[in-house]
Amino acid sequence: MFETTRPAAPTHALRGPALTFRADPFLEGLEAAMVYESDAIVAMGAGKITHFGPADKVQAQLSPDLPVRNVGPDALISAGFLDTHVHFPQAPVIASFGTQLLDWLETYTFPAEGAFADKDHARAVAKIFLRESLRNGITTSCVYGTVFPQSVDALFEEAERLNMRMAAGKVMMNRNAPAYLLDTVQSSYDDSKALIGRWHGRGRLMYAITPRFAPTSTDEQLAAAGALWREHPDCYMQTHVSENLDEIAWVRDLFPARKNYTDVYDHAGLCGPRAVFAHGVHLDEDEMCCMHGTGSAISHCPTSNSFIGSGAFNLSRAKRADRPLRVGLGTDIGGGTSFSIMTTLGEAYKAGMAHKHRLTAGHALYLATRGGAQAMYIEDKVGSIAPGMEADLVVLDMKSTPLIDYRMGFAKDIHEALFIQMTLGDDRAVQATYVAGELQYEKAMG
Ligand code: GUN
Ligand code: ZN
């Protein structure tokens, strides 16, 4: 007998306005890429979406007994958000005053990360981090741990409890940081490999090989990270690139043989599909071509780029039609200042304006959903609403504050309504978050 995989029967559904993307609007245009239904049904079963479409059409395919939650006309159902770059151990140092990248690392970040040798501390912060992510509609993240493998165990254990699709990794760094945070070429390789064995592909969890950034790794450690990735090519590789001008000058001094910052990574075998590079604010044309050619992705982290004074990422240049990059959105907590994707999108708009680029709300919401999934090569699993996709969903409240409610009274179409949300919205805009079909956060519950 042949086994056939039939889609599971739906067990529950949401009904209300819904927004999703079926393509990249930067490449195909918003008209072709964005799907808005003013009255949709999204049905779910066994963790996946089973039905999606206009309510009048989908209803006929469903049992009249199926529990349907009507989210109401002032809500919007979207795919859950993806945060493609974030440091969970930096939740305790979000909002730290007065420094740019290298001083910020030394003054606030490294000391905070030192505390994660203690797994109980790591677990407590992981819980807060995941709760805050869900409060903001984030259902998938690409997360930095610390150098201590137990910090990554703590995060994965908590994410597994919530059944979240999550990538994370142990920081590899063997120089230019306090001694209490350093590993070695061998220990970083061994510890990362052991974590891959424990976690990668377990349920919805995925491992990210995580050299912190070029200045904190020797050539040998970067080569070891590259070798490990070649042994486990379906893992992620995450690091930082070209964030801050002093950092870039330092990389030039440390790696004089390499033609640019990106080449340091490429030389070590660290560019390719499932490589997620944070920031990339100052990438030159040659580096953009390398990112495009190797299928690497950039995580655009606008609140961090402005808060620690790194500059304004030029998104329209990154998406240039002749060599478009995969770009997701990152909160970059704790260099970033908000878990809110709405706030992050508003800041992405402002970064665009610094380059005379007008980021529409549709393009912005694509970055936060399907664009992030495309950056992580999981657009066949999450990031959009369609039958067969995993049922990670966020329900937005489109009238979450008195000011938004007032301003929405003047919105003439869905595009303007979405732009109001991304300019004025914050965590209050998230009404409910579903992970693999289960309600994991509801505003009414706090
Ligand atoms: N570069 C190296 N480490 C970090 C970090 O923790 N945060 C940011 N924003 N940039 C980095
Ligand atoms: Zn970062």
Side-chain angles (χ1 to χ4, degrees):
M1 284 298 290
F2 292 104
E3 284 286 317
T4 51
T5 37
R6 248 177 284 143
T11 52
H12 57 300
L14 299 176
R15 179 172 182 171
L19 176 80
T20 193
F21 298 88
R22 58 179 158 221
D24 182 343
F26 291 91
L27 306 182
E28 313 282 333
L30 200 51
E31 193 83 338
M34 182 171 134
V35 177
Y36 173 69
E37 295 287 353
S38 57
D39 182 17
I41 287 181
V42 184
M44 298 163 258
K48 297 219 171 141
I49 295 168
T50 58
H51 300 75
F52 170 59
D56 52 359
K57 285 210 182 106
V58 172
Q59 203 158 32
Q61 303 163 26
L62 301 173
S63 153
D65 300 332
L66 187 77
V68 178
R69 174 178 173 167
N70 201 325
V71 299
D74 295 331
L76 181 71
I77 305 163
S78 161
F81 299 134
L82 287 92
D83 181 353
T84 58
H85 180 76
V86 62
H87 301 251
F88 97 86
Q90 295 176 13
V93 290
I94 187 171
S96 290
F97 175 74
T99 50
Q100 287 210 350
L101 177 63
L102 302 176
D103 292 335
W104 175 82
L105 286 171
E106 233 177 270
T107 313
Y108 302 112
T109 314
F110 290 153
E113 293 190 10
F116 285 72
D118 174 0
K119 189 167 176 192
D120 288 340
H121 175 70
R123 187 176 294 109
V125 179
K127 281 181 199 285
I128 289 165
F129 168 79
L130 293 173
R131 188 196 67 204
E132 237 1 84
S133 296
L134 292 170
R135 282 188 67 250
N136 286 284
I138 297 166
T139 48
T140 287
S141 308
C142 195
V143 191
Y144 268 58
T146 64
V147 74
F148 307 110
Q150 60 269 36
S151 66
V152 180
D153 286 325
L155 179 75
F156 275 141
E157 284 163 17
E158 294 308 313
E160 185 173 53
R161 243 186 273 288
L162 295 159
N163 197 17
M164 293 175 81
R165 181 163 285 290
M166 174 94 27
K170 177 209 109 71
V171 167
M172 304 169 78
M173 59 175 165
N174 68 344
R175 65 167 170 173
N176 291 323
Y180 60 83
L181 281 181
L182 295 182
D183 54 18
T184 67
V185 174
Q186 192 63 47
S187 74
S188 67
Y189 175 90
D190 292 344
D191 288 347
S192 301
K193 197 170 177 72
L195 284 163
I196 291 170
R198 260 201 306 286
W199 294 108
H200 184 66
R202 176 163 149 176
R204 304 182 76 200
L205 305 175
M206 307 168 290
Y207 193 78
I209 297 163
T210 308
R212 180 176 208 113
F213 70 153
T216 48
S217 289
T218 58
D219 269 318
E220 293 71 26
Q221 188 174 54
L222 294 175
L228 183 60
W229 199 24
R230 274 192 299 281
E231 289 164 36
H232 301 278
D234 53 335
C235 286
Y236 290 94
M237 194 296 302
Q238 60 178 347
T239 191
H240 299 87
V241 72
S242 204
E243 177 177 3
N244 165 284
L245 295 176
D246 290 344
E247 169 213 20
I248 295 165
W250 194 21
V251 170
R252 209 174 292 126
D253 286 349
L254 290 170
F255 299 91
R258 303 274 66 90
K259 62 182 181 203
N260 53 46
Y261 198 158
T262 300
D263 188 42
V264 174
Y265 295 129
D266 196 28
H267 179 75
L270 295 173
C271 292
R274 285 172 296 283
V276 180
F277 290 94
H279 305 286
V281 175
H282 306 285
L283 291 176
D284 67 23
E285 193 49 37
D286 194 57
E287 293 177 284
M288 293 248 176
C289 287
C290 176
M291 293 290 174
H292 169 77
T294 57
S296 304
I298 295 288
S299 178
H300 176 21
C301 305
T303 74
S304 171
N305 291 339
S306 60
F307 182 70
I308 56 178
S310 302
F313 179 68
N314 191 337
L315 175 63
S316 66
R317 178 166 165 247
K319 295 299 282 186
R320 219 177 66 193
D322 60 329
R323 47 127 191 79
L325 304 194
R326 291 168 187 259
V327 179
L329 196 77
T331 64
D332 193 28
I333 302 298
T337 50
S338 180
F339 277 88
S340 167
I341 293 299
M342 289 301 125
T343 300
T344 305
L345 294 180
E347 293 303 307
Y349 175 81
K350 294 174 196 169
M353 278 319 233
H355 295 286
K356 299 191 163 62
H357 173 231
R358 306 189 310 163
L359 178 65
T360 78
H363 288 80
L365 280 157
Y366 165 79
L367 290 182
T369 54
R370 191 176 169 89
Q374 202 224 8
M376 293 180 69
Y377 287 79
I378 46 175
E379 70 270 27
D380 59 333
K381 295 183 173 61
V382 295
S384 53
I385 304 178
M389 302 292 287
E390 295 171 358
D392 290 348
L393 298 165
V394 57
V395 182
L396 298 175
D397 173 1
M398 302 284 274
K399 297 187 170 174
S400 60
T401 72
L403 178 63
I404 293 174
D405 189 0
Y406 173 73
R407 177 64 181 85
M408 284 286 283
F410 303 96
K412 57 187 179 314
D413 59 21
I414 182 65
H415 300 285
E416 188 173 352
L418 294 173
F419 188 67
I420 293 165
Q421 303 305 315
M422 79 182 228
T423 305
L424 300 176
D426 54 28
D427 56 338
R428 291 168 290 183
V430 174
Q431 187 170 304
T433 306
Y434 288 79
V435 176
E438 300 284 324
L439 181 65
Q440 290 290 6
Y441 167 72
E442 184 157 27
K443 186 160 66 165
M445 301 181 328

